[in-house]
Amino acid sequence: MTTPGWPDQLAQARLHVVTGKGGTGKTTVAAALALALAAGGKRTLLVEVEGRQGIAQLFDTAPLPYEERRIAVAPGGGEVRALAIDPEAALLEYFELFYRLGMAGRTLRRMGAIEFATTLAPGLRDVLLTGKVKECVTRRDKDGTPVYDAVVLDAPPTGRVVSFLDVTKAMADLAKVGPIHTQAAGVVELLHSPLTAVHLVTLLEDLPVTETLEAIEQLRDAELRPGAVIVNQVRPQWLPDRSVTAAANGRVDAERIRAGLASAGLDLAPDVIDGLVAETVDHAVRIHAEGLALARLDAGTDQPRLELPTLLDGVDLGSLYELTEELVAQGAGTGVSV
């Protein structure tokens, strides 16, 4: 059974991987989590690897280059920086770091060698992406202090997240010695350590819940550490529990509604009353279905759970901070280790 809140062991993680079925709002949740982890004067890095520039859209800023850029101030004076990792740029950086190719590396890009390399070894692309994430997590200032208190990775969807995170193990086995082996082995060590937690974003719907539960098992089988289940877009319940089942089955007393409104001084036309009844039934049907989905989630996993409300007016910068406050209120970011 899931436990609400953010347990102490998650507070010790420094890499927070956020995944979820497409359409669950994982990028929005990743952004809100990065703000929550930066609250109180900390510094976090929000990273995307899918080339969609979703972070720039959320924060209403220009498309992100391949460099770390400050994009937001967190509650309490912390800051969030963002990085959109480009595989080509990461490969050039890799060539320069390990092989000192410099200008030759840029020549290779013009010749199409990068596309050739990632086609020859398809896993290389993910090694480059996760390798850059690892470098950001482990980078330290001159005094030995980590540059970032936490790194939040907006990862691929749940259907691909395990292969994305675990491909480095295959690459480490492929390259027995040399820089590629060292790089991949370092990434494997980080991703399979207590410093990494993989959070799963879901909606209270059958398919996202099913995919979330399957992903948790796949992560465990790969010896990757599931983090919190973050239930997004939770609707407020306007009916008492005892009325939800009846209303979901269409049993709504229109005359009682009319009488109640009349006693409050509202004399509404019959068609308006009919509209209110239909809305009541629709609301009850959704709440009943979400209750069943939540029960499946509780029965299927013991991961900690956080909940975020539905944003009626959509997601903008202001509502993103509202979600951040919700996460902070539920303990996210408390005690982040440096």
Side-chain angles (χ1 to χ4, degrees):
M1 182 173 181
T2 55
T3 303
W6 188 264
D8 290 341
Q9 60 266 33
L10 289 183
Q12 304 308 310
R14 298 196 60 247
L15 173 57
H16 297 266
V17 180
V18 179
T19 185
K21 180 177 170 56
T24 58
K26 71 177 179 66
T27 298
T28 299
V29 172
L33 181 59
L35 283 164
L37 292 170
K42 301 182 184 71
R43 176 186 290 175
T44 63
L45 179 66
L46 176 60
V47 180
E48 68 176 9
V49 293
E50 296 183 277
R52 296 185 295 106
Q53 289 290 340
I55 294 174
Q57 295 174 34
L58 268 177
F59 288 92
D60 193 23
T61 188
L64 297 171
Y66 183 54
E67 64 181 41
E68 292 153 39
R69 175 173 293 183
R70 176 173 167 170
I71 58 168
V73 176
E79 73 169 21
V80 175
R81 295 187 180 184
L83 172 65
I85 302 180
D86 173 69
E88 282 196 354
L91 183 55
L92 291 179
E93 186 177 68
Y94 178 84
F95 282 157
E96 172 61 21
L97 180 63
F98 292 108
Y99 296 102
R100 299 289 186 260
L101 288 182
M103 184 64 71
R106 289 186 285 276
T107 302
L108 287 173
R109 178 169 60 181
R110 289 195 297 271
M111 294 170 58
I114 291 175
E115 182 178 355
F116 173 77
T118 54
T119 301
L120 185 64
L124 180 58
R125 181 182 186 276
D126 289 347
V127 170
L128 293 168
L129 296 173
T130 53
K132 180 60 179 178
V133 172
K134 181 251 185 186
E135 187 275 324
C136 294
V137 173
T138 58
R139 190 191 312 156
R140 293 179 177 269
D141 289 325
K142 292 180 180 179
D143 63 359
T145 303
V147 171
Y148 294 106
D149 295 290
V151 174
V152 178
L153 171 60
D154 179 18
T158 46
R160 202 174 85 78
V161 72
V162 173
S163 61
F164 172 76
L165 294 174
D166 210 34
V167 71
T168 48
K169 182 181 292 185
M171 287 298 294
D173 293 338
L174 178 65
K176 300 299 182 182
V177 295
I180 292 179
H181 173 82
T182 302
Q183 172 82 339
V187 175
V188 169
E189 182 179 0
L190 171 66
L191 294 179
H192 291 263
S193 77
L195 293 177
T196 299
V198 184
H199 308 295
L200 300 106
V201 181
T202 187
L203 305 179
L204 291 179
E205 298 174 2
D206 281 342
L207 286 178
V209 166
T210 296
E211 198 160 309
T212 296
L213 294 175
E214 290 175 349
I216 289 172
E217 291 306 312
Q218 292 166 3
L219 288 166
R220 287 174 175 161
D221 289 344
E223 297 181 346
L224 295 161
R225 180 186 177 202
V229 174
I230 303 176
V231 182
N232 196 21
Q233 300 180 25
V234 176
R235 302 171 190 273
Q237 180 176 323
W238 303 116
L239 294 172
D241 290 341
R242 65 179 182 278
S243 302
V244 169
T245 301
N249 290 320
R251 298 195 301 273
V252 178
D253 190 339
E255 180 56 30
R256 183 177 179 183
I257 291 176
R258 186 202 64 76
L261 292 170
S263 66
L266 297 174
D267 187 13
L268 302 181
D271 60 327
V272 176
I273 298 293
D274 290 342
L276 290 174
V277 169
E279 288 185 13
T280 300
V281 171
D282 181 66
H283 173 73
V285 167
R286 291 176 182 272
I287 292 298
H288 182 67
E290 290 182 358
L292 294 176
L294 186 61
R296 279 189 62 211
L297 202 58
D298 276 345
T301 182
D302 57 358
Q303 297 305 122
R305 185 180 76 239
L306 288 79
E307 296 183 0
L308 293 173
T310 298
L311 299 174
L312 298 178
D313 297 324
V315 180
D316 58 19
L317 196 54
S319 59
L320 190 59
Y321 278 89
E322 292 179 19
L323 295 180
T324 298
E325 291 175 0
E326 291 282 347
L327 290 174
V328 171
Q330 294 173 67
T334 303
V336 174
S337 174
V338 296

